[in-house]
Amino acid sequence: MTSNYDIEAIRAQFPALKRNIGESPLVYLDNTATSQTPACVLDAIMDGYTMRKANVHRGVHTLSQEATDAQEAARRRVQTFIGADSHEEIIFTRGTTEAINLVAASYSSMLEKGDEIIVTVMEHHSDIVPWQLAAERYGLVLRAVPLRPGSSELDLDAYAAMLGSRTRVAAFTAVSNVLGTANPVRRMVDMAHAAGAVALVDAAQAVAHERVNVHAWDADFIAFSSHKMYGPTGVGVLYGRRELLERMPPYQGGGEMIAHVDIERSTWAELPFKFEAGTPDFVGIAALHKAIDWMEATGIDLIAAHEQRLLIRAEKAMRAMPGMRIFGDAPGKCAIISFLMGDDASSYDIGMLLDGMGIAVRTGHHCAQPLMNALGVTGVARASFAAYNTEAEVDAFIAALQRIHKILRL
Ligand code: PMP
């Protein structure tokens, strides 16, 4: 370990890590699904509900003003975190899923029948199904970039061939939640722009493991979820390029998003509020502010380097195990290991047996059924690492897999 990465001090900030599962200490390796939450974020949630639970942007009273200030400070914190030009380009949503639905519903309504949307075969369902709904509604054509045969990487030649005069949107993930593959985001964005399309990047798996910067990617839309970046659930972010957000119609109607309402018609609020109908999760949003502070104070680069060390240690031991199949071998992949020992069905057994030893992993299709089809499986088990995991936990995981190997007689 590097001297400036004090893993014990980091762990001490996560109350959940003190839990036991049965007789065993919790080894939490389901970080791709959601990460645990440090005390500073939990304190912010408690403080929000205890001291300033009042609706934002509506009251003149002190509590409401404090809640509003906390929410708008969080918006500016997200803005600087991802290097956006304006806080008006930061829309708070319920998560990545809602952020993508917002764009798929609103941006697609400005498209014409026969226009094309490109996604990829490695997308989470939340970056496929919203586009299917939009395609059905507006007569759009949805196409998916495949993997290069025998590879964990996208086939960029196929992507280049798909981009054409009817392409309007390219929507793809920065990092696969199954393979760990880190896609060449800037290159893919540039290719979309060269074809005259806008690019949406699903940053759900990137944002806690690398520095995400609006200008480095040059993306038109970026979506991510607070709960995967040590923050609370129920909050997400959509970054959108201002000129696009200004042209796009509202996604949902209600309070907060209007300038004026008559029974016959209404006018819309300025950005970002045009896209924030109803009472937002202002407590969660203020707590996300603390999660970003926490990640930056800990050091995103240090966290990523730590996770990579754990990845290398685990994969080396796993590859030495007979019958082990690891899915995802792209160079520079994120700290995610999807695997099978035996057939697909055994991924559930592996998950159950690991849970019996206190080790939390995810099993199943991981909301990526098209990718499962491409890999020729119905599900996989997945271990993934975060800032607080240790080498001792990796070793406990490997020892548990060796026991399971014997139990299942693989
Ligand atoms: N995209 C990716 C790549 C993901 O991993 C996930 C969550 N597993 C999502 C989108 C959806 O995120 P949420 O459920 O927080 O909206």
Side-chain angles (χ1 to χ4, degrees):
M1 294 290 144
T2 48
S3 54
N4 44 359
Y5 199 79
D6 186 346
I7 185 73
E8 287 313 321
I10 288 171
R11 287 181 71 77
Q13 299 175 59
F14 288 82
L17 302 180
K18 300 188 178 74
R19 276 198 63 172
N20 280 348
I21 304 298
E23 303 284 285
S24 314
L26 169 66
V27 175
Y28 186 78
L29 301 182
D30 193 16
N31 296 289
T32 299
T34 197
S35 53
Q36 297 301 324
T37 309
C40 60
V41 175
L42 299 172
D43 290 347
I45 296 169
M46 190 63 156
D47 179 64
Y49 278 111
T50 314
M51 303 307 288
R52 57 195 106 259
K53 183 161 182 278
N55 217 321
V56 288
H57 295 295
R58 302 214 188 138
V60 291
H61 60 80
T62 302
L63 259 57
S64 174
Q65 282 174 5
E66 285 182 7
T68 305
D69 289 348
Q71 170 170 301
E72 295 312 312
R75 196 185 307 274
R76 285 180 160 75
R77 187 70 181 91
V78 173
Q79 177 204 341
T80 53
F81 178 59
I82 61 170
D85 290 337
S86 163
H87 66 280
E88 292 166 352
E89 298 183 312
I90 306 299
I91 317 281
F92 287 119
T93 65
R94 282 193 301 118
T96 307
T97 303
E98 192 183 38
I100 298 174
N101 271 279
L102 189 166
V103 180
S106 172
Y107 193 79
S108 300
S109 73
M110 304 192 300
L111 303 182
E112 284 171 14
K113 196 166 185 288
D115 282 347
E116 295 180 5
I117 311 285
I118 298 181
V119 295
T120 87
V121 75
M122 66 165 73
E123 297 313 301
H124 188 277
H125 294 165
S126 61
D127 198 27
I128 298 174
V129 184
W131 299 111
Q132 287 174 346
L133 295 175
E136 198 157 308
R137 188 156 185 194
Y138 299 109
L140 311 175
V141 178
L142 186 60
R143 312 180 71 183
V145 181
L147 296 181
R148 268 203 339 258
S151 159
S152 311
E153 294 177 87
L154 291 172
D155 184 340
L156 293 189
D157 293 334
Y159 176 50
M162 264 175 212
L163 286 161
S165 61
R166 293 308 299 264
T167 312
R168 297 290 175 263
V169 180
F172 54 86
T173 192
V175 174
S176 160
N177 65 318
V178 174
L179 301 170
T181 305
N183 289 318
V185 174
R186 179 59 193 249
R187 192 165 153 209
M188 291 177 70
V189 169
D190 286 348
M191 288 166 76
H193 286 167
V198 298
L200 177 145
V201 182
D202 173 350
Q205 291 303 338
V207 73
H209 311 279
E210 66 179 275
R211 285 178 185 280
V212 167
N213 181 277
V214 164
H215 293 289
W217 278 354
D218 201 27
D220 302 285
F221 301 103
I222 300 175
F224 52 92
S225 300
S226 154
H227 70 94
K228 293 184 197 281
M229 49 194 288
Y230 310 99
T233 71
V235 176
V237 172
L238 173 69
Y239 157 80
R241 205 185 281 280
R242 178 201 274 273
E243 61 266 29
L244 296 176
L245 293 176
E246 275 172 352
R247 276 172 40 216
M248 286 160 57
Y251 158 62
Q252 293 180 330
E256 201 99 340
M257 51 74 70
I258 49 83
H260 182 81
V261 177
D262 281 323
I263 287 299
E264 294 76 22
R265 63 177 295 278
S266 304
T267 53
W268 316 135
E270 297 294 315
L271 291 175
F273 305 111
K274 180 171 90 172
F275 291 107
E276 293 183 353
T279 301
D281 184 353
F282 53 85
V283 173
I285 290 168
L288 168 62
H289 187 155
K290 298 294 172 209
I292 295 174
D293 286 349
W294 185 87
M295 284 201 305
E296 289 208 325
T298 308
I300 294 175
D301 297 338
L302 292 178
I303 294 173
H306 173 73
E307 291 167 350
Q308 286 293 318
R309 281 192 293 274
L310 300 179
L311 173 73
I312 290 165
R313 188 180 182 93
E315 276 205 352
K316 189 164 172 236
M318 289 171 77
R319 287 190 192 280
M321 293 171 67
M324 176 65 73
R325 291 163 67 197
I326 293 180
F327 298 84
D329 58 4
K333 81 172 204 175
C334 258
I336 295 172
I337 311 176
S338 288
F339 65 98
L340 282 177
M341 304 158 79
D343 61 23
D344 316 10
S346 73
S347 82
Y348 292 96
D349 297 336
I350 294 168
M352 296 284 288
L353 289 164
L354 284 171
D355 185 55
M357 299 180 230
I359 301 173
V361 299
R362 176 86 184 269
T363 60
H365 56 61
H366 306 271
C367 299
Q369 282 180 336
L371 178 59
M372 294 296 133
N373 290 340
L375 297 173
V377 297
T378 55
V380 293
R382 179 186 69 194
S384 50
F385 304 110
Y388 40 68
N389 290 123
T390 65
E391 292 185 351
E393 288 182 322
V394 169
D395 295 347
F397 170 57
I398 297 297
L401 290 181
Q402 278 156 350
R403 277 179 65 192
I404 290 169
H405 201 269
K406 288 206 185 91
I407 294 168
L408 295 179
R409 294 185 215 283
L410 293 168

